[in-house]
Amino acid sequence: MTAAADPLHAQARRLADALAPVERGLVLVVTGAGVSLASGLATFRGSDPGAIWKRDVMEMATLDFFRRDPVGSWRWYQERFDKVLEARPNPAHLAIAALERWQRARGGDFLLVTQNIDVLHERAGSREMIKVHGSADRVRCQRDGCRLGAPAGSLPLAEVDFGPFRADPSHDTLPRCPDCGGLLRPHVLWFDELYQGHADYRWEQVMQAIERMHVALCVGTSFSVGLTEVLLQAAFWSHTPVLSIDPGEATVVASRGLEQIRARAEELLPRVCAELGAELPA
Ligand SMILES: [Zn+2]
């Protein structure tokens, strides 16, 4: 296929041209739910048929809902986490991990900030990563002051026996903190909570990265959360290029420096790796 007949080629070249010069600086990659869509996980706000948005996520994914109905909250999350933890990384996750290895190998800096609570970036081999909305494979104690709760504590979901709750979801079978007996909760950022609410969201570090980034690559994010707002603002003032890969219609108003590339990340990013010579796993 000739380059003219292959729009992906031109898009891959464009991205490679943006990344190649940042040899010593920081490449910041920000991912949202769109990057995991090809792994079978529904987005929150997308137009995919399973988009969780349609099911009152604004009400369910809140601390307020957990306080009112912990059984309902855990039932909702358990169903979702089962799917999330079964999913496998797609070529976009693998390509992002390959870009990190490529950038590190030439002595550059790289940081991945993901809004996703799935574990697909880890499974794909990403290393330097901040999960700014928490992680589906961990839980924490809801009780103030417990060492397994905020501001810095959590424990692996796998260490908690959900058997009784699965068999008979009720207040008596709710998962409990092994330390203090308080209620356990998902280790995720809820809509009525702040990024600063837990050390694992590493908000300070995200802010520092945004200040010193040389290029930002956004993948599958709808630009509707605080993080992307801050990023676009910072890029606007510092004239830092921001490239966004998303197959949908333009999702944000034009912002200086923001370049939107309409493509599927799982198709485009492996091509970018090829352009740069970033090696993908066989
Ligand atoms: Zn506790």
Side-chain angles (χ1 to χ4, degrees), residues 141 143 146 148 177 179-182:
C141 182
R143 189 171 281 172
C146 178
L148 292 177
C177 172
D179 230 49
C180 76

Side-chain angles (χ1 to χ4, degrees), residues 18 21-28 103 109 209-216 238-243:
V22 188
E23 212 174 327
R24 289 281 175 264
L26 172 65
V27 172
L28 178 66
Q103 175 70 357
D109 206 356
I210 284 174
E211 273 170 33
R212 63 187 186 85
M213 64 188 179
H214 290 77
V215 62
S238 63
H239 300 263
T240 306
V242 180
L243 296 105

Side-chain angles (χ1 to χ4, degrees), residues 53-64:
W53 191 253
K54 291 168 189 151
R55 285 184 282 162
D56 287 345
V57 70
M58 282 295 277
E59 193 209 329
M60 305 291 265
T62 59
L63 175 61
D64 183 58

Side-chain angles (χ1 to χ4, degrees), residues 186-207:
H187 189 31
V188 298
L189 178 74
W190 279 326
F191 284 104
D192 52 354
E193 296 183 307
L194 299 172
Y195 285 115
Q196 294 89 340
H198 198 285
D200 286 355
Y201 306 147
R202 292 160 69 188
W203 185 243
E204 272 305 307
Q205 238 177 301
V206 173
M207 290 300 100

